[in-house]
Amino acid sequence: MLGLMSEALQLRRATLSNGMRVVINPDMTLPGVAVNIWYRVGSADEEAGHFGFAHLFEHLMFSGTTSGIASSEHLATIESVGGSANASTSFDRTNYFETVPAGALELALWLEAERLAHLAVTEENLATQREVVKEEKRQRYDNTPYGDLLDLLLDGRFGNEHPYGHPTIGSVPDLDAACLDDVTAFHSTWYRPDNAVLVISGCVDADEGLTLADKYLGAVPAATGNLPERVQGPIRHDNPRVVVTRPLPRTAVTRAWATPPITDPDNLAVAMAADVLGSGMSSRLIRTLERERHLVDGVGMSDFGLARGASATLISAHLKPGVCEEELTGAVDEIITELATNGPSQAELERARAQVERGWLESLAVVDERADLLNMHETLLGDATLVNTYLDRIRAVTGDQVAGAAQRWLAPAQASTVVHQEA
């Protein structure tokens, strides 16, 4: 399967008369078809006082339509034909997606068109979904030992003047204060065909897919007026250290760096540096901190994958009893400095490339994940065909570029730090 997936994906790109962009990826070897819509609106597009509106609409979009689709009927209808549907919100986009048998593609597109054109935003729906979001926040953030980590990280790395300075989950006071006019204004501002990208991937002919997309989503009236300009804002450079003390299972230390956005050519070199440092059991962080020096119970490295002027890369570890923060951060700084000075070995570079390739091909082999990757490239990078050159670009990253990226973006002095300390 991986050998077949290494071939270029067939792609048809078009723009409907109402401004919606469409990408069709026909693949008759797949049993079903994925419908994936990205609206280019996320928490980074929220105004102060309206934090959480993007995530709120992830839920409201399942609340029915004025054209006769009842609340929750969208999901129930998709499931009744053997499909699945869901949604997610991030800083840069809100995503709605279905995976259905090939014969149900028309149904999925009709449902998406109906809720784009006729969403029922009512006082009752707003009250219901507001409570759903608040409960989600309580479960995932407020009532977990390290639940405030993301909030502290974003503030420390970006600051409250940057669009990325607050988490996607939202603010309870802002949600409680939201009135129907505020919410409908947010919807009419951002949920419009020319702010959306539709990807159809799987068992569908390209011409048929484009015809159906135009029949249903193309029938949604075009919006009037211009989209708001997307702001970026300044990034914090004071690199604060924040300590939170409370009863915890383990002391946790997280270090974060401002790194280039996914639109920046240097992003791939930073990603490769992160793979050498923290991906897999033979990576430098895991090998040194966990297996050799026994400083941590676990350590991980990841990037937020942000697109608006900057992203953030972080290292997070749970310390073993008796290990202090300074011992951990000193060891991390040594590891990063050594990579920045001498670069990765050829074996490390080849291992990182192989891991990236395996993960990439595995994602492309699953139709819903493939559709999401195509939409990310079309929405945030402007061209879905970049999916077909991704592995070539990864293979072209050199050891010197990895070292340079580590030196330029991951220097110890450029890190902000959050410590969750056992009481």
Side-chain angles (χ1 to χ4, degrees):
M1 178 180 291
L2 295 187
L4 294 174
M5 289 302 303
S6 65
E7 299 176 2
L9 299 178
Q10 296 182 46
L11 300 175
R12 171 82 68 83
R13 299 167 70 214
T15 301
L16 305 181
S17 59
N18 57 14
M20 180 177 287
R21 284 182 285 161
V22 178
V23 179
I24 311 293
N25 164 228
D27 187 342
M28 298 305 178
T29 69
L30 296 170
V33 61
V35 173
N36 187 298
I37 297 185
W38 278 35
Y39 293 93
R40 198 173 181 186
V41 55
S43 59
D45 298 295
E46 298 164 344
E47 298 177 352
H50 292 166
F51 289 168
F53 276 30
H55 180 222
L56 178 65
F57 266 97
E58 176 195 323
H59 295 266
L60 281 170
M61 288 286 277
F62 289 94
S63 292
T65 71
T66 58
S67 58
I69 299 173
S71 180
S72 301
E73 190 176 0
H74 183 123
L75 182 59
T77 302
I78 292 294
E79 291 179 345
S80 72
V81 297
S84 62
N86 213 326
S88 65
T89 311
S90 76
F91 298 92
D92 293 312
R93 59 95 181 116
T94 309
N95 177 25
Y96 302 88
F97 49 94
E98 295 91 4
T99 303
V100 294
L105 171 60
E106 199 163 353
L107 172 66
L109 292 173
W110 173 73
L111 287 168
E112 289 293 354
E114 287 298 295
R115 65 176 171 186
L116 173 57
H118 307 295
L119 184 68
V121 184
T122 65
E123 291 282 7
E124 181 182 3
N125 288 341
L126 173 58
T128 298
Q129 299 307 324
R130 177 194 284 126
E131 293 307 312
V132 170
V133 172
K134 288 164 62 177
E135 179 60 23
E136 181 181 342
K137 185 176 186 297
R138 284 189 287 267
Q139 291 183 4
R140 294 176 54 192
Y141 296 88
D142 299 343
N143 297 327
T144 61
Y146 309 95
D148 56 352
L149 173 61
L150 180 60
D151 207 344
L152 296 171
L153 273 177
L154 294 174
D155 179 66
R157 188 59 281 153
F158 294 105
N160 58 17
E161 294 184 16
H162 196 281
Y164 293 146
H166 65 278
T168 300
I169 191 67
S171 158
V172 169
D174 287 1
L175 292 171
D176 283 338
C179 67
L180 192 61
D181 287 346
D182 293 333
V183 174
T184 55
F186 185 89
H187 181 263
S188 62
T189 297
W190 297 107
Y191 279 80
R192 42 191 283 173
D194 59 345
N195 197 41
V197 172
L198 166 68
V199 171
I200 302 174
S201 179
C203 189
V204 59
D205 175 78
D207 289 335
E208 178 191 8
L210 190 55
T211 297
L212 291 176
D214 190 51
K215 177 181 178 180
Y216 292 104
L217 276 306
V220 178
T224 59
N226 296 323
L227 282 161
E229 185 175 342
R230 290 176 169 84
V231 297
Q232 294 191 4
I235 296 173
R236 291 186 70 167
H237 292 289
D238 53 340
N239 303 322
R241 174 180 174 269
V242 178
V243 180
V244 177
T245 301
R246 66 164 74 104
L248 293 166
R250 286 282 189 274
T251 292
V253 178
T254 302
R255 305 259 276 171
W257 291 261
T259 48
I262 60 172
T263 55
D264 190 304
D266 217 15
N267 175 266
L268 290 181
V270 174
M272 290 293 284
D275 285 331
V276 169
L277 288 167
S279 179
M281 292 302 293
S282 59
S283 65
R284 295 190 181 195
L285 289 171
I286 294 176
R287 185 181 69 244
T288 303
L289 303 179
E290 192 170 343
R291 295 163 55 195
E292 295 176 359
R293 298 181 61 176
H294 307 291
L295 300 180
V296 300
D297 284 324
V299 59
M301 190 169 188
S302 59
D303 187 272
F304 279 95
L306 303 176
R308 197 169 312 196
S311 188
T313 296
L314 60 90
I315 294 173
S316 188
H318 284 204
L319 307 189
K320 284 188 174 293
V323 176
C324 66
E325 174 199 347
E326 292 76 15
E327 188 174 5
L328 183 277
T329 55
V332 168
D333 292 349
E334 289 175 10
I335 293 168
I336 293 176
T337 300
E338 202 283 330
L339 179 64
T341 302
N342 299 314
S345 68
Q346 188 61 33
E348 285 179 313
L349 199 57
E350 290 175 359
R351 177 187 61 80
R353 288 170 179 159
Q355 287 186 323
V356 170
E357 182 171 356
R358 182 201 66 212
W360 182 255
L361 296 177
E362 285 177 349
S363 294
L364 291 182
V366 181
V367 68
D368 53 351
E369 293 184 35
R370 182 195 299 186
D372 206 50
L373 282 173
L374 287 167
N375 216 330
M376 185 274 284
H377 281 77
E378 183 69 26
T379 301
L380 301 183
L381 301 181
D383 186 355
T385 65
L386 289 172
V387 165
N388 286 326
T389 64
Y390 177 76
L391 291 181
D392 290 335
R393 286 179 281 126
I394 284 291
R395 295 181 188 116
V397 175
T398 66
D400 287 344
Q401 288 174 319
V402 171
Q407 184 177 49
R408 185 159 49 253
W409 297 101
L410 302 177
Q414 295 170 205
S416 60
T417 306
V418 176
V419 181
H420 281 86
Q421 187 170 271
E422 294 177 81

